[in-house]
Amino acid sequence: MSTIQILVGSTLGGSEYVADALAEALQQHHHQTHIHLTPDLNELPKEGVWLLCSSTHGAGELPDNIQPFAEQLTNHPDLSKVRFAVFAIGDRSYDTFCEGGKQLEQAMLACQSQPMWPRIDINVLDEALPEDQAVAYLAQQIEKI
């Protein structure tokens, strides 16, 4: 099966929980995973599948740990052989709900990456845990990997 890169943007750890849960679900489907807590474009394969899990910090910014990666994407490297999906985590009570995930999605599209399915915006105020929502969504999309 595939080796899937999971890139994490997290301030308080919620996106890390989502990434861990996604990795476990993917491994149950016989995929290998590699979680990147401080993603660096120079250390990632420029092909294959990337899952981006990010919260939004402050007034719509990306978490500190993924900002350097996002900056690398502004140079528009050729990522046309990368298929990706975004799991955005946020609080719907803010105007900037899931803005970090939206920014990553736009940056990946600008680099010619191919989306595998629509971005999921996960509201942390919902009853279910964000990681449960992410895994349920992945289960609906898993065949697209």
Side-chain angles (χ1 to χ4, degrees), residues 38-116:
T38 52
D40 183 336
L41 188 60
N42 298 317
E43 297 173 0
L44 291 164
K46 306 304 184 286
E47 61 184 14
V49 175
W50 295 5
L51 301 184
L52 294 88
C53 303
S54 185
S55 60
T56 299
H57 177 69
E61 292 102 27
L62 287 165
D64 289 345
N65 71 305
I66 202 165
Q67 284 183 9
F69 170 76
E71 182 65 28
Q72 289 174 316
L73 295 180
T74 64
N75 295 323
H76 304 303
D78 180 7
L79 299 178
S80 58
K81 294 181 182 178
V82 173
R83 296 183 309 131
F84 78 99
V86 175
F87 292 81
I89 294 67
D91 179 334
R92 192 172 298 281
S93 66
Y94 289 90
D95 292 341
T96 57
F97 175 64
C98 290
E99 187 62 32
K102 294 172 187 174
Q103 291 173 26
L104 288 172
E105 179 181 50
Q106 290 304 310
M108 292 294 291
L109 290 170
C111 296
Q112 306 304 311
S113 301
Q114 305 303 311
M116 291 185 295

